[in-house]
Amino acid sequence: MPVNFTAPNPQDLLPVAGVRIGVAEAGIRKARRKDLTVFLLDEGSVVGAVFTRNRYAAAPVQVCREHLSADARVRALVVNTGNANAGTGEPGLQHARQTASALALALGVRHEQVLPFSTGVIMEPLPMDRLLAGLPAALADAASPEGATGAQWLKAAEGIMTTDTLPKAISRRVQLGDRLVTISGIAKGAGMIRPNMATMLGYIATDAAIDAALMDTLARRLADLSFNRVTVDGDTSTNDSFVVMATGQAGNEPLRSLDGSQAQALLAGLTEVARHLAHALVRDGEGATKFITVQVEGGRSADECLRVAYAVAHSPLVKTAFFASDPNLGRILAAVGYAGIDDLDVSRIDLHLGDVHVVQAGGRHPAYREEDGQRVMKEAEILVRIGLGRGDCVETVWTCDFSHDYVTINADYRS
């Protein structure tokens, strides 16, 4: 069961003017499920995107980068689940380009104005006959009255799921001067989640007007505040993609920088949406039973705080201890020690587990009792605070535990 996370109510999801969504069952997945999704953007829309840093980037990631570098105004996105089209060589690139071209032809736009995305099993050829045959149904769904509704965002969230147990979607509204701006977003991912990025697939749209030159900066900022702060298992997927879309139909004066009160208000709303989706990935992590916040304080730089936080959050020994509610907290200290800070003075390390002071000045706190640590570790949501005693920087990472179910899910993933 996901940790304190439930499926969104379709009535809470809001349409974004200038975006239409279509979802279809193309038969790409083994199970009969919605597995093909299209986003159609009105003319004048702009996008920004960030992608995986895995050098074995999937074919659709490579094609998306090609199309975005062409500086064409993106008009559509197409997403298939059930097959990652990764590790597929030149035929995979041809399939990704063919997917974009087929949708472009149907819409009457240029092929570089379509971004293709895939998720699922790696190193399997994409079943192009089924994918292409499913496009008309997805387009018909987008053209229907439902295609522009908030409820369609939930259908899209369901349509991009793989091992997720629940869809992930959220909407917010932000006041920009005399204009009310809408933000809606979805994401999928439950395993192969770590920074670089860590969204697997994520899509956020707003009807705010934003200058095209700002969009990549905005996408990177949002990723760094959300998806690049979560980890499930330390693996970086071949297909990780995060796209921010702005249709400009709210009628506000176009934002040309992230400075100023209106830009900051929009950034706050977008960050709330992105962070909610990123947290949902961890709460629905494969086999997760606990949601863990790792906060590192007193670093000299954000980089060293994050190195320590990720060392703790990625550690299988730490994560299995949390699953068992076993206060074997020396594992946390060991992770701090190998995080890569060469001049770390361990005699200044502090560690709190929830409200329990575990380590003081590098050693066990005189008042610490193991039963107090176990009490905190039995909770579904746990805060780990690590003090480095070196400076004023603070950074936070979110993760989950490792359970027996994580092994079961990944052992049976292709079955």
Side-chain angles (χ1 to χ4, degrees):
M1 287 289 293
V3 182
N4 293 338
F5 175 66
T6 58
N9 187 332
Q11 295 179 340
D12 294 333
L13 301 176
L14 303 171
V16 176
V19 179
R20 300 188 71 88
I21 300 172
V23 186
E25 184 180 298
I28 300 168
R29 294 183 62 99
K30 292 179 181 178
R32 293 185 62 85
R33 271 180 48 181
K34 304 290 187 184
D35 55 10
L36 187 62
T37 302
V38 296
F39 292 83
L40 308 183
L41 307 179
D42 282 1
E43 191 170 0
S45 299
V46 293
V47 306
V50 289
F51 299 96
T52 182
R53 294 178 189 167
N54 192 318
R55 295 302 297 271
Y56 223 116
V61 169
Q62 296 178 57
V63 172
C64 281
R65 286 171 171 157
E66 290 173 2
H67 288 189
L68 289 168
S69 68
D71 201 28
R73 287 294 180 96
V74 172
R75 295 293 305 279
L77 287 62
V78 53
V79 190
N80 76 267
T81 185
N83 185 302
N85 193 12
T88 47
E90 183 60 31
L93 287 169
Q94 293 176 7
H95 288 160
R97 294 183 182 120
Q98 186 181 1
T99 300
S101 294
L103 183 54
L105 181 63
L107 296 173
V109 301
R110 302 193 309 277
H111 71 94
E112 64 267 23
Q113 292 180 283
V114 177
L115 302 182
F117 302 87
S118 298
T119 183
V121 177
I122 296 172
M123 220 170 69
E124 295 288 340
L126 192 61
M128 290 302 296
D129 55 340
R130 283 173 271 169
L131 190 156
L132 296 177
L135 279 177
L139 288 171
D141 192 44
S144 72
E146 289 74 25
T149 64
Q152 200 77 343
W153 282 88
L154 181 57
K155 282 180 63 177
E158 294 168 342
I160 65 173
M161 290 167 57
T162 50
T163 59
D164 309 63
T165 66
L166 291 174
K168 301 159 181 69
I170 182 176
S171 294
R172 289 291 184 266
R173 282 201 168 110
V174 176
Q175 192 74 41
L176 298 186
D178 62 350
R179 303 291 179 171
L180 188 62
V181 166
T182 300
I183 305 166
S184 288
I186 63 172
K188 63 81 50 181
M192 292 188 79
I193 302 288
R194 80 171 276 169
N196 297 329
M197 308 147 28
T199 178
M200 300 294 289
L201 295 180
Y203 306 98
I204 295 176
T206 177
D207 56 3
I210 305 173
D211 190 272
L214 185 61
M215 290 302 292
D216 280 343
T217 299
L218 177 61
R220 172 54 58 190
R221 175 75 67 86
L222 290 173
D224 284 343
L225 293 171
S226 57
F227 297 113
N228 281 346
R229 294 291 183 272
V230 298
T231 178
V232 169
D233 50 21
D235 268 349
T236 299
S237 168
T238 54
N239 294 62
D240 290 342
S241 304
F242 172 50
V243 180
V244 183
M245 302 164 269
T247 67
Q249 296 198 15
N252 61 292
E253 185 68 23
L255 301 176
R256 305 187 189 282
S257 80
L258 296 180
D259 299 323
S261 59
Q262 290 195 15
Q264 287 297 304
L266 180 62
L267 181 62
L270 289 165
T271 301
E272 182 184 356
V273 168
R275 192 167 285 174
H276 172 92
L277 295 171
H279 286 189
L281 302 187
V282 174
R283 293 182 183 279
D284 194 26
E286 291 169 341
T289 70
K290 293 170 184 176
F291 180 82
I292 303 161
T293 300
V294 182
Q295 181 173 302
V296 179
E297 308 166 351
R300 289 179 185 167
S301 67
D303 177 70
E304 70 177 29
C305 288
L306 288 172
R307 273 190 282 166
V308 170
Y310 291 140
V312 173
H314 288 157
S315 168
L317 292 178
V318 171
K319 292 159 79 70
T320 51
F322 275 107
F323 170 65
S325 300
D326 175 19
N328 190 354
L329 301 177
R331 294 178 174 182
I332 295 177
L333 297 184
V336 172
Y338 66 61
I341 303 177
D342 293 334
D343 60 343
L344 181 67
D345 182 354
V346 298
S347 71
R348 306 187 72 175
I349 298 296
D350 257 27
L351 170 63
H352 286 78
L353 190 66
D355 61 352
V356 178
H357 199 167
V358 178
V359 171
Q360 181 180 54
R364 182 182 179 123
H365 192 282
Y368 173 66
R369 298 183 308 162
E370 189 161 295
E371 53 266 38
D372 293 330
Q374 189 172 55
R375 168 180 56 81
V376 176
M377 292 186 80
K378 287 182 177 179
E379 297 173 0
E381 306 220 11
I382 301 167
L383 171 63
V384 177
R385 287 176 48 223
I386 301 163
L388 301 181
R390 295 162 56 84
D392 299 321
C393 289
V394 181
E395 290 291 343
T396 303
V397 167
W398 298 277
T399 190
C400 59
D401 57 339
F402 267 167
S403 70
H404 304 298
D405 285 345
Y406 178 86
V407 177
T408 300
I409 290 166
N410 282 282
D412 294 341
Y413 177 57
R414 299 205 313 160
S415 301

